[in-house]
Amino acid sequence: MNEFTEHSPGNENKLFNFRHSSLRTTIEQGFGILKSRFRSIDKKSFGFYETQVDVVLPCCIIHNYIIGVDPYDFFMEEICSESEPIRRTINLSQREEREENREWITKREMIASIMWNDYNTQRN
């Protein structure tokens, strides 16, 4: 499957942004499906963050099991078009926040560069 049918990305940032956006959309749709199937994880006061993290994998396993047992599950016929990204609240000092931002910017640039090199290698 070609990512760009008509126009190729002009640089590594555009390629990264396209792939990041596609991945984020897919992940949000996945969480939307889980939240629809398992109503208890859609509640605002679901518990501690660590508990929420520990519950997601078993929900994925149960969901995949159900799909394996009944591929025509009525639930999967529904379209989960609305999904909210999961956000966690972190209280950081401005200094810690700047340091974390620099780290993420560095990681992003490294990933974008690797993607760009791989993309150009595959095209040639």
Side-chain angles (χ1 to χ4, degrees), residues 29 79-83:
Q29 289 171 347
I79 298 174
C80 299
S81 60
E82 293 182 25
S83 58

Side-chain angles (χ1 to χ4, degrees), residues 4 8-20 108 112 116:
F4 304 91
S8 62
N11 60 47
E12 60 190 40
N13 288 331
K14 288 182 181 182
L15 177 65
F16 178 89
N17 290 341
F18 173 79
R19 289 183 177 173
H20 183 262
R108 182 196 185 284
W116 184 247

